[in-house]
Amino acid sequence: MVRVPLSPQERQRGERFGALLREARGDRSMVDVAAAAGVAAETLRKIETGRAPSPAFFTVTALAHALHLSLDDLAAACAEDVDAGERAMSA
């Protein structure tokens, strides 16, 4: 199966998501958070650095749970700039 390349907006959303996770992780180690979420530390590293800008839904939910984050809040925070950019392009 061939994956469709991500748009610049999708990449930016992934970078925002990674930054949110880094911020929520605080001084907890990447290994500790990944273990609590049941994902590989390398997976979390790729998400946080933007190298995996579109992680699987269950990975996102596991990380949100491990970091005590609301999925609604994550979705809103990641969509903010994309919505603003789309409004500017349609004006």
Side-chain angles (χ1 to χ4, degrees):
M1 178 174 180
V2 176
R3 290 188 75 165
V4 176
L6 297 175
S7 69
Q9 292 84 7
E10 290 169 322
R11 291 202 170 279
Q12 290 171 351
R13 184 180 58 215
E15 290 170 4
R16 281 193 305 280
F17 179 63
L20 287 168
L21 292 182
R22 269 193 311 278
E23 182 179 331
R25 185 164 57 82
D27 56 359
R28 289 176 66 185
S29 79
M30 193 175 289
V31 173
D32 288 342
V33 171
V39 301
E42 183 60 22
T43 298
L44 180 54
R45 179 178 288 103
K46 286 179 181 178
I47 294 168
E48 285 190 0
T49 60
R51 289 183 12 235
S54 59
F57 175 75
F58 291 105
T59 301
V60 172
T61 59
L63 289 167
H65 180 73
L67 293 167
H68 308 288
L69 297 171
S70 158
L71 288 175
D72 289 335
D73 292 343
L74 279 175
C78 290
E80 286 174 355
D81 290 343
V82 172
D83 291 342
E86 287 174 1
R87 283 193 302 271
M89 290 169 64
S90 66

